[in-house]
Each structure stands twice: as C-alpha cells, then as structure tokens.
Amino acid sequence: MSYQEERFIAELAVQRATLFTQKVFFEKAKGTVSKDDKSPVTIGDFGAQALILQAIRKNFPGDEIVAEEEASSLRENKELSAEIWEQVKDIKLQDVEGDSLLGGPIPSEQAMLDLIDQGKSAGGPKGRIWALDPIDGTKGFLRGGQYAVCLALIEDGDVKVGAIGCPNLPVDDSATLSVGIGAHQAESSGNGVLFSTVKGTGAFSRPLTNGSLAASKPISMRPVPDITHAVFCEGVEAAHSSQSDNAAVAERLGITNPSVRLDSQAKYCSIARGAGDIYLRLPVKKNYQEKIWDHAAGDLLVREAGGQVTDIYGHRLDFSKGRTLATNTGVVAAPKAIQDQVIDAVKFVLKL
Ligand SMILES: Nc1ncnc2c1ncn2[C@@H]1O[C@H](COP(=O)(O)OS(=O)(=O)O)[C@@H](OP(=O)(O)O)[C@H]1O
Ligand SMILES: [Mg+2]
Ligand SMILES: [Mg+2]
Ligand SMILES: [Mg+2]
C-alpha cells in the first residue's frame, strides 16, 4: 500500500489547522483552561482537533482515532464553546477544491463538539489508527515559542504516515539552530514548515501555505563525524524532561555546544532536517507514560531521515500498547551511526 492519499489528506488537514492556530495566536484571549492534570488547553487545541478530525472522518470513515482533547468540558462551558465556534466556522484553505476535500466547512457548533469527541479510541495493536496532537507544545504556543500540529497513521502498531506543521520554525533549514523561545518568533517572516513522511519513502519538508500544498524537498539528518561537535535539542519545560540529566549525557559524550531548547515535536523535525543532531527526553518522573500523539509522527520522520528513535534503554518506541507508550521510558533520537554511543552515555548517567 502506498499511503499517498493518506499522506495528502494528512498534509492538507494539518496545513488547514495551522491557519486556525495562527489566527488564534494573534487573538488576545486564547481561552486557556486547565485540564485535570493541570496542563493547559486553548481554543487553538480544540478547534484544530475539530478541523483535522473532520478531514479524517470524511476521507477514512472506518479508521480509529486517538486524539489528545475531548469536548466534555466544552459541553459545560457554553461560553468557551461559542468562542471556539466563532473562530472555527470561517477557517478554510484559499483553495476551494482542497477545502472541500477536507469536508469543510464544519456545519454547526454541535457538529464541531461531536467531531472533537471522535478521538477517543483506545488504540492498540490492530487496525488503522490515527494519532492526533492538535497543538503539541501548548505552553510553547502560549508563550510565542515553538509548537506543532502533529498527525500520524499507525497500522497494526507500526507508524506508516506522519505530517507535522510547525508555524514558527524557519523555512531555512540551517536557521533552526538559532530559534529559541520568544514571542517575536510567530511574527517573523520566513516561518512555517510542513514536514511529512511515508514509511519507506524518506522525509520531506515544504513551506506552509494558506492554500494548496507547496513543492516539497527531501530532508535528512546530517552526518556526525565527531560526536563532540554534535548539537542536542531538548524541551523547554523542566517538568517534561530532565535538563540536568540531558546535560550530564552531553558532558559524558564530550559535547560542549549549548543545547537548543524547543517545545513540541519541532525537536524531531529539527534533527530530521540537520539543524541539530540528538534529541534527548530523559524522564523526570519514573511513572510518566509518554502519549502516542506526542511521538508517532516525529518517530517516523526521524527514522526516514536516517535516524534512530528509542527509549532510554535503546528499545524502539512501541505504538501498539494503547494511548500511551506504556512499555517505553523517555526518548533518545540520533543519527543511526551514533545512536548506540548516545544510549551508552544515557545508561551511564541514569545508572541503568
Ligand atoms: N511529566 C511529563 N513528562 C513528559 N512529557 C509530559 C509531561 N507532562 C506533559 N507532557 C507532555 O509534554 C508535551 C510537550 O512536550 P514538549 O517536548 O513540548 O515539552 S517541552 O515544553 O518542550 O519541555 C505535552 O504535549 P501537549 O499537551 O500537546 O503540549 C504533554 O503531552
Ligand atoms: Mg496538552
Ligand atoms: Mg503534545
Ligand atoms: Mg497537545
């Protein structure tokens, strides 16, 4: 199976959702509410989920969907629901054909809420399951840093297709290294990249547009002849990965370059395009289970760009265990040729 239709719909749906998240970013009120686990969710997350689930339901009605958000809190918070609808109802690609392929526009506020609730699949080892993170790095989104709209198709536990939209990443591959956090990012021109991949065909990027898809180009990880010159990417939030352990691993490898801190799967995208080499996500809490929507698309993108993605023990990420990576701890991604060396350093630092 070539998955070309799945890839095209995923790319187009992610591109349309980024039009929405960018619009919300420039609104003063982003409707931020705190979820049960105290993490934030915004108008941007809910609306992007509705738009993408509409596209999946229209094109692949028999598939299952595992998505991060759900609408129960919105059904009680009528004001927020109305605000989201106000922003969602006019979103369309400047390309009538593309937009109707995605099933747009969403017909009503009720239909929007029902779409948001279509992502409750338990996941698992069998069948076709889409994994959606409508905004990955919501905290980055709120502070004007990096965030990503991430969609992947998993079939029988194996990631087959990935599409990641990064509205605040520079189009220029080499410029990524200089992007940190900062509200100016979202406003600078020359930003907005759509990454995509199908298993066995390589990794690609193209500029995000507001209409049909731009031309794509292949991307790959850069060779690392001397590991001491490698650059590693890590998260911004100290609660999500252990920056002190990450630093100890870098030191063990003789790396002196400062880390590049980015929110979201923009980290996977950056190393896949050769702007950075190693992604370390060393656990802060032993019992935290990573969510499949936080990793599925990035895992395939990096592997198709010439990398390897494992947990801290060197085991491949297992997307067949349900909504979480229940059998994995942490993430280590690097070019294939140096992955073992990085894992050895991780095991040394974490005393595994
Ligand atoms: N304790 C803990 N450990 C690891 N990961 C956690 C934890 N808590 C939350 N999350 C998930 O982190 C997702 C954001 O990851 P990032 O890589 O953007 O984190 S960072 O802000 O850059 O540090 C974030 O995704 P979004 O909610 O989509 O933003 C969460 O799913
Ligand atoms: Mg979240
Ligand atoms: Mg996420
Ligand atoms: Mg999210």
Side-chain angles (χ1 to χ4, degrees), residues 68 133 135-137 293-294:
E68 180 180 358
D133 195 337
I135 291 187
D136 182 35
W293 55 78
D294 280 330

Side-chain angles (χ1 to χ4, degrees), residues 147-162:
Y147 72 94
V149 177
C150 307
L151 180 62
L153 174 64
I154 301 166
E155 189 163 1
D156 297 338
D158 194 32
V159 188
K160 303 293 191 192
V161 180

Side-chain angles (χ1 to χ4, degrees), residues 68 133 135-138 235-237 239-240 262-264 267 281 285 288 290 294:
E68 180 180 358
D133 195 337
I135 291 187
D136 182 35
T138 303
V236 175
E237 299 293 329
H240 295 172
L262 305 162
D263 296 275
S264 82
K267 294 186 275 295
R281 188 181 189 85
K285 293 187 210 117
Y288 181 78
E290 296 285 347
D294 280 330

Side-chain angles (χ1 to χ4, degrees), residues 206-259:
R206 45 162 60 90
L208 279 167
T209 77
N210 58 9
S212 46
L213 296 178
S216 69
K217 63 164 192 190
I219 54 168
S220 59
M221 299 191 81
R222 61 183 180 188
V224 182
D226 178 352
I227 202 165
T228 65
H229 292 156
V231 169
F232 76 94
C233 296
E234 63 179 343
V236 175
E237 299 293 329
H240 295 172
S241 79
S242 172
Q243 293 170 347
S244 54
D245 287 340
N246 292 351
V249 171
E251 193 185 337
R252 174 85 184 158
L253 292 168
I255 295 173
T256 50
N257 287 316
S259 69

